[in-house]
Amino acid sequence: LASADTKGDSLVALGLWPDSAASALLAGEDSVLSMVQNDAQVLAHCLNRLNLKNSRTLPLTIQDFKEILQSPNPDGLKFCGVEIDECWLDDVEVLSAAVKLFIQKATNQDWALRTEWLKQLKKDLPQVPDLVHTHLEAGAASLNNFYFSPLQPHTTDDHVIPMDPRWNMQGFHIRNAVDFDAEHSDELLTLLESRSNRAVLFLDREKRNYVERSLINTKKTNSALRVSLEFHKDSSNYNSLPHPVVTGLAAFFELWDAYVLNWVKFAQVAVSDEKLHKILDGLLWRDHFWTTSDTVALDSPGLTLLSLHWHWVVKHLISNIPELLSGYEQPTLSKDIQSIAQQIQNSLESPTGISASIKKLQKALGKPLPFKDAAVVECAAHLQRLCKALNVLEL
């Protein structure tokens, strides 16, 4: 209880309160429930910290318990949110990782329980931000989709190997302690590793796609991606295009996601740890590009930023990932992706926006370049050194 989380009025502590680790008694009475409860510790702790900042019915501070003792009707009490020091645990990316950890440890015996638990959390925590609810729902949906996908073999409920058995430390201890037949043992572990990596990749994409769909449906903006989605749904509403990139942006994400998921589901090739990490690293550039597309407008600064991110997508994703996703031919999708990618490339290479920006800069600072003002020359020199240090185009 002496941790940083419990200083001051807060009683929230990982594994202690309000969601304690499963006891030996519970583990003996219900091993499945106790395993789910223990695997959810990190996620529950992140959610309790978020809940601490909002009005709630669950007592989480010393003041909450004082109010319970002083109230004649403690059952209907609502407690006020409190301010706590910012911590890396409060970042939504940590919550997302905690959800991934929870679903990756699922087995055929408990996956349905984990799915229902994630759904119930949304009802129990109505005050937390909508994005938190989205990540919980995305975890439940991706886990449910996995167990109804071609990746999941038809097995009985007695099959309790975790989706990713590498989380099972007991299995590692057994593997190291027992003298297996080396040849067959290595072959089995390679197969398990490949199936686990395929499952991890499937869950990662399903969860990401669910979050993106939720953001599209709940958060209304006038970003480049939203305009492209509207055009993709019904092009007849547009007499003139705000920019040519609109015609290909939404189609690119739709085709690319279908291409990756088809490979994950049906390709009969081994997926090593190294290959998985390379694929996930490449897909991060796709995710950054999606976020940028859903943030920037179709104006000169927005198109410049979009062009920079597209440069990274071409370099790190389109140029590398198809080689890693070999073993399952998708000629139609591959051809369509190449066509759309070329269309986006051509539209973002248009110098119109950049030329307009340069003209404004020249008008403000004097022309022809280099600039007339000595202070501006010094500023430009500093910017050149900074750009050289960052070298964003070589990232």
Side-chain angles (χ1 to χ4, degrees), residues 167-186:
W167 286 113
N168 189 344
M169 294 306 297
Q170 186 180 22
F172 276 115
H173 293 321
I174 295 173
R175 169 71 179 86
N176 294 329
V178 179
D179 185 18
F180 289 106
D181 183 328
E183 180 181 353
H184 293 90
S185 174
D186 291 342

Side-chain angles (χ1 to χ4, degrees), residues 201-322:
L201 187 55
F202 179 89
L203 290 172
D204 179 80
R205 291 298 90 192
E206 283 285 329
K207 185 175 180 296
R208 175 72 192 190
N209 291 343
Y210 187 96
V211 171
E212 290 176 355
R213 288 194 301 270
S214 297
L215 289 174
I216 292 293
N217 293 330
T218 58
K219 185 180 177 183
K220 303 301 181 183
T221 66
N222 195 33
S223 66
L225 179 59
R226 303 303 176 95
V227 176
S228 181
L229 285 168
E230 290 300 321
F231 177 83
H232 197 52
K233 290 178 183 176
D234 187 4
S235 58
S236 62
N237 291 334
Y238 289 83
N239 295 324
S240 62
L241 289 176
H243 191 273
V245 75
V246 166
T247 60
L249 209 54
F252 170 76
F253 290 114
E254 181 180 330
L255 293 170
W256 183 265
D257 293 342
Y259 178 74
V260 173
L261 276 175
N262 284 345
W263 182 85
V264 173
K265 291 177 183 178
F266 304 114
Q268 300 297 319
V269 293
V271 183
S272 63
D273 287 346
E274 181 182 5
K275 189 172 189 176
L276 172 69
H277 295 151
K278 286 182 179 180
I279 293 173
L280 290 175
D281 286 345
L283 291 173
L284 278 176
W285 294 100
R286 175 260 177 222
D287 297 344
H288 291 324
F289 184 56
W290 190 96
T291 302
T292 303
S293 302
D294 196 41
T295 304
V296 302
L298 289 169
D299 53 17
S300 181
L303 290 170
T304 302
L305 188 58
L306 200 64
S307 179
L308 177 62
H309 278 265
W310 176 252
H311 164 82
W312 288 330
V313 166
V314 172
K315 181 176 180 179
H316 298 287
L317 184 73
I318 297 176
S319 300
N320 296 329
I321 295 298

Side-chain angles (χ1 to χ4, degrees), residues 342-368:
Q342 187 59 52
Q343 183 180 336
I344 294 175
Q345 181 72 24
N346 293 339
S347 64
L348 290 177
E349 281 181 346
S350 174
T352 305
I354 298 175
S355 298
S357 299
I358 291 176
K359 287 179 180 178
K360 287 181 181 178
L361 192 63
Q362 289 176 335
K363 184 177 180 181
L365 300 177
K367 55 183 179 180

Side-chain angles (χ1 to χ4, degrees), residues 358-388:
I358 291 176
K359 287 179 180 178
K360 287 181 181 178
L361 192 63
Q362 289 176 335
K363 184 177 180 181
L365 300 177
K367 55 183 179 180
L369 298 174
F371 312 120
K372 298 175 182 178
D373 194 334
V376 176
V377 173
E378 184 181 355
C379 179
H382 285 305
L383 286 173
Q384 286 178 350
R385 286 196 292 273
L386 178 61
C387 289
K388 186 176 180 180

Side-chain angles (χ1 to χ4, degrees), residues 149-164:
S149 73
L151 291 173
Q152 181 59 28
H154 297 288
T155 55
T156 66
D157 289 339
D158 294 332
H159 179 66
V160 293
I161 297 176
M163 182 183 301
D164 188 347

